[in-house]
């Protein structure tokens, strides 16, 4: 069957957009990339990165399959290194000329003949572009989540400064200042530790509830990728679509699984001093692990124990002059408030009627393989399958999506099959694994292997795993293995 060459729009020039551009170009399609910033990188673009930011995943878990990070780079690369890495990937595959920077996609309109018309804007100039297919690659962290508490204007007028975490780019602004950081994510704890290092006169960290945090080295010895990222560990979580036999085995091994997770909790409680800090989470760790599970910022618990960072469990209620009043009743005088409250997930350029087909009332996305919706033809998502190895996840789903568009999947799904699968996975998220509802349900963690297994099987890969059973079950997702798996899929080129 001859595959017709198509014009494909790739929206976003970060990790996911670059993966999508490479995958669609490799199959012979014409790629039109649009990035609203002045540079590639997405969240790693330098003007969006706070001082000291680094990856949560090790470098061999945060790379494209054909482009590993240099051996002499640190295990967890810094933001500027990741930014340079993405540029090197774009240069390697000649992706730069495919993109228009400083270009906003304002609207997407469905065409009666198929495809979409994009309304575009750059520096005040507007025009339209018809494309056969759209790969939305804006990822999970596109627009700032802006929270405004009562009295904020008065706080600013009194000399206070309020910043979103992405606006904190210079440590000098915190020297000798009273700093309050709001949020429970790794970015919040990174910034709290950064404030101490910057010489802040006082640092207060405000978070809503204790959550399980994973140190880079569990027990101070074992890189956590060797513990939490292996298939044998993944099998202990309650995945979707389990067969009758799998459920029976789960019941038989439940006591051992329970003991394994309790031992892990006790190790973390002891290593991090959670009991002394009154920070033991209420929920079992196996019920909460997801894309929102943070890695421990180096120095966080040491500074908490030493009193250099004062924790308050609650959130902001309002500002009163230079004071911030918490929901707990605590009042903190501050010079700088940094809101590490994350990013808004959305597709603002889609019409409301189209969004209604995509997003349920509870915010859950109706997507098959975390990529496509049967009621929104000629479009798909790359990088919305967030994970602990997001670069690999984006590359895998980009390769799946181009084959889906071209009708080249070995398991090409029907619309009814997709709807049935979507309903099944949504029911699982809502009733059996509520942690999977984070980020609109667009998170494959901790089920990386299962997600990749499904994508590769759909693509008709002849190689699905490590040849060595021990490596397959007791190793983390290896980019070298997945490079071989992708190479084993049927190859073709559009004409």
């Amino acid at each position: 069957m001859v595959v017709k060459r198509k014009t494909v729009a790739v929206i976003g020039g970060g990790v996911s957009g670059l993966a999508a551009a490479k995958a669609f170009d490799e199959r012979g399609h014409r790629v039109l990339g649009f990035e609203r910033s002045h540079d590639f990188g997405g969240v790693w673009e330098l003007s969006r990165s706070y001082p000291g930011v680094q990856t949560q995943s090790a470098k061999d878990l945060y790379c494209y399959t054909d482009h590993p990070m240099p051996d002499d780079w640190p295990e967890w690369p810094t933001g500027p290194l990741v930014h340079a890495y993405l540029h090197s990937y774009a240069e390697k595959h000649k992706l730069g000329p495919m993109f228009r920077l400083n270009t906003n996609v304002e609207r997407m309109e469905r065409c009666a003949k198929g495809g979409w018309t994009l309304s575009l804007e750059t520096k005040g100039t507007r025009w339209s572009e018809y494309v056969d297919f759209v790969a939305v690659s804006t990822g999970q962290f596109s627009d700032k989540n802006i929270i405004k508490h009562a009295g904020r204007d008065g706080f600013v007028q009194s000399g206070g400064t309020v910043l979103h975490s992405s606006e904190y780019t210079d440590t000098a602004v915190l020297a000798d200042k009273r700093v309050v950081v709001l949020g429970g994510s790794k970015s919040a704890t990174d910034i709290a530790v950064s404030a101490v290092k910057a010489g802040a006169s006082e640092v207060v960290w405000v978070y809503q509830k204790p959550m399980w945090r994973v140190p880079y080295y569990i027990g101070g010895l074992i890189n956590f990728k060797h513990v939490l990222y292996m298939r044998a560990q993944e099998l202990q979580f309650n995945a979707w679509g389990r067969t009758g036999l799998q459920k029976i085995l789960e019941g038989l091994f439940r006591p051992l699984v329970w003991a394994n997770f309790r031992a892990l909790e006790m190790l973390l409680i002891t290593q991090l001093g959670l009991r002394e800090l009154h920070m033991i989470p209420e929920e079992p760790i196996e019920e909460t692990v997801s894309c929102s599970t943070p890695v421990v910022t180096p120095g966080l618990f040491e500074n908490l124990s030493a009193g250099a960072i004062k924790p308050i469990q609650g959130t902001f209620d309002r500002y009163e002059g230079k004071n911030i009043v918490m929901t707990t009743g605590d009042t903190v005088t501050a010079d700088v408030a940094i809101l590490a409250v994350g990013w808004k997930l959305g597709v603002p350029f889609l019409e409301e009627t189209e969004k209604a087909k995509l997003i349920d009332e509870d915010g859950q996305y109706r997507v098959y393989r975390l990529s496509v919706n049967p009621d929104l033809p000629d479009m798909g998502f790359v990088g919305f399958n967030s994970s602990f190895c997001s670069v690999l996840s984006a590359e895998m789903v980009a390769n799946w999506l181009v084959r889906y568009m071209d009708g080249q999947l070995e398991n090409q799904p029907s619309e009814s099959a997709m709807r049935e699968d979507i309903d099944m996975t949504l029911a699982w998220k809502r009733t059996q694994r509520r942690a999977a509802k984070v980020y609109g349900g667009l998170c494959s963690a901790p089920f990386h292997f299962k997600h990749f297994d499904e994508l590769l099987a759909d693509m008709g890969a002849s190689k699905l795993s490590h040849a060595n059973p021990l490596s397959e079950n007791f190793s983390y997702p290896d980019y070298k293995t997945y490079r071989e798996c992708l190479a084993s899929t049927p190859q073709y080129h559009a004409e």
Side-chain angles (χ1 to χ4, degrees):
M1 172 179 141
V2 176
V3 175
K4 181 181 176 182
R5 187 172 190 250
K6 302 175 183 68
T7 298
V8 178
V10 173
I11 304 177
V15 164
S16 305
L18 296 178
K22 191 252 186 182
F24 282 87
D25 176 68
E26 192 172 49
R27 295 292 145 221
H29 298 292
R30 178 178 177 237
V31 174
L32 301 178
F34 304 105
E35 166 55 48
R36 68 181 180 182
S37 176
H38 67 283
D39 193 7
F40 292 126
V43 292
W44 298 107
E45 196 271 304
L46 297 179
S47 66
R48 294 179 61 183
S49 299
Y50 56 83
V53 64
Q54 64 185 122
T55 63
Q56 289 210 111
S57 299
K59 64 183 179 183
D60 54 353
L61 278 162
Y62 205 82
C63 67
Y64 299 104
T65 60
D66 66 340
H67 194 59
M69 291 187 177
D71 291 338
D72 59 354
W73 279 17
E75 180 75 346
W76 291 276
T78 62
L81 287 177
V82 177
H83 180 253
Y85 169 78
L86 295 176
H87 266 268
S88 69
Y89 182 77
E91 182 177 350
K92 176 178 181 177
H93 294 293
K94 299 179 174 57
L95 304 179
M98 301 177 196
F99 280 84
R100 292 192 64 145
L101 303 178
N102 296 305
T103 301
N104 292 306
V105 178
E106 296 184 327
R107 289 178 62 191
M108 282 176 56
E109 292 181 270
R110 178 80 178 137
C111 298
K113 66 179 180 179
W116 297 82
T117 296
L118 306 185
S119 298
L120 304 162
E121 182 274 332
T122 180
K123 298 179 180 179
T125 299
R126 287 178 166 80
W127 77 101
S128 297
E129 195 87 50
Y130 171 80
V131 296
D132 299 298
F133 193 90
V134 179
V136 178
S137 308
T138 50
Q140 303 276 8
F141 307 108
S142 183
D143 295 308
K144 299 173 189 174
N145 184 27
I146 303 297
I147 297 179
K148 288 192 175 182
H149 298 91
R152 172 176 171 155
D153 291 343
F155 176 77
V156 173
Q157 291 168 4
S158 299
T161 299
V162 180
L163 302 172
H164 184 270
S165 56
S166 65
E167 297 168 334
Y168 168 53
T169 58
D170 183 3
T171 58
V173 302
L174 303 187
D176 301 316
K177 296 292 188 353
R178 294 165 295 188
V179 179
V180 179
V181 182
L182 174 66
S185 65
K186 183 175 182 291
S187 61
T189 58
D190 281 351
I191 292 170
V193 171
S194 175
V196 173
K197 293 179 179 178
S201 60
E202 182 181 44
V203 179
V204 176
W205 171 39
V206 184
Y207 65 99
Q208 287 192 322
K209 65 177 184 178
M211 58 194 304
W212 293 108
R213 299 171 189 274
V214 182
Y216 283 116
Y217 289 96
I218 293 179
L221 297 171
I222 304 172
N223 188 319
F224 77 99
K225 69 183 180 183
H226 296 298
V227 177
L228 292 182
Y229 285 6
M230 59 185 180
R231 188 184 288 268
Q233 184 80 326
E234 177 180 313
L235 291 171
Q236 298 179 51
F237 294 100
N238 58 324
W240 67 90
R242 288 167 293 169
T243 65
L245 177 60
Q246 287 172 328
K247 291 178 181 179
I248 291 172
L249 291 174
E250 178 185 306
L252 291 174
F253 287 99
R254 186 172 289 125
L256 292 176
V257 171
W258 182 91
N260 171 62
F261 284 119
R262 299 294 77 74
L264 177 59
E265 287 179 351
M266 187 55 61
L267 182 58
L268 295 177
I269 289 169
T270 303
Q271 180 179 347
L272 303 177
L274 300 182
R275 193 178 307 281
E276 294 78 6
L277 292 167
H278 307 289
M279 287 186 175
I280 299 177
E282 294 181 358
E283 298 173 289
I285 192 169
E286 67 270 27
E287 294 180 10
T288 63
V289 171
S290 71
C291 295
S292 62
T293 301
V295 172
V296 174
T297 299
L300 171 65
F301 286 99
E302 292 83 350
N303 279 299
L304 287 168
S305 297
I309 297 175
K310 177 186 175 183
I312 294 178
Q313 186 179 342
T315 188
F316 290 10
D317 181 66
R318 64 190 183 278
Y319 298 91
E320 289 184 352
K322 286 292 289 292
N323 295 325
I324 304 175
V325 181
M326 308 298 169
T327 52
T328 58
D330 294 281
T331 297
V332 178
T333 303
D335 301 303
V336 181
I338 301 180
L339 311 184
V341 291
W343 303 81
K344 290 188 296 184
L345 176 66
V347 193
F349 35 79
L350 267 184
E351 299 287 338
E352 291 302 319
T353 53
E354 310 292 5
K355 288 182 186 177
K357 300 173 186 176
L358 176 66
I359 308 170
D360 281 349
E361 290 184 0
D362 62 353
Q364 295 298 291
Y365 279 64
R366 297 187 61 82
V367 280
Y368 178 76
R369 298 293 191 251
L370 299 179
S371 184
V372 295
N373 178 294
D375 298 311
L376 294 174
D378 302 324
M379 70 171 291
F381 300 91
V382 175
F384 275 46
N385 56 336
S386 185
S387 73
F388 296 149
C389 44
S390 295
V391 179
L392 178 59
S393 294
E395 182 179 358
M396 293 289 288
V397 84
N399 279 273
W400 182 93
L401 184 61
V402 65
R403 288 165 170 80
Y404 169 85
M405 177 190 76
D406 289 331
Q408 294 296 304
L409 292 174
E410 183 169 293
N411 300 324
Q412 191 77 22
S414 65
E415 290 186 7
S416 60
M418 286 191 281
R419 291 191 184 96
E420 182 180 347
D421 187 88
I422 289 169
D423 289 340
M424 180 272 292
T425 55
L426 283 175
W428 166 75
K429 293 170 187 175
R430 289 167 175 152
T431 62
Q432 299 178 47
R433 189 164 182 83
R434 297 187 185 278
K437 293 178 66 178
V438 300
Y439 302 160
L442 302 174
C443 170
S444 63
F447 305 103
H448 308 88
F449 288 101
K450 184 175 177 64
H451 180 49
F452 295 160
D453 288 349
E454 290 182 336
L455 297 177
L456 288 170
D458 287 350
M459 288 188 274
S462 59
K463 179 180 175 61
L464 298 174
S465 62
H466 287 87
N468 185 325
L470 286 176
S471 297
E472 174 63 16
N473 287 285
F474 296 97
S475 180
Y476 51 86
D478 175 27
Y479 73 89
K480 296 177 184 176
T481 297
Y482 283 105
R483 179 173 62 212
E484 295 172 0
C485 292
L486 286 173
S488 76
T489 60
Q491 304 298 304
Y492 68 94
H493 200 268
E495 299 177 6

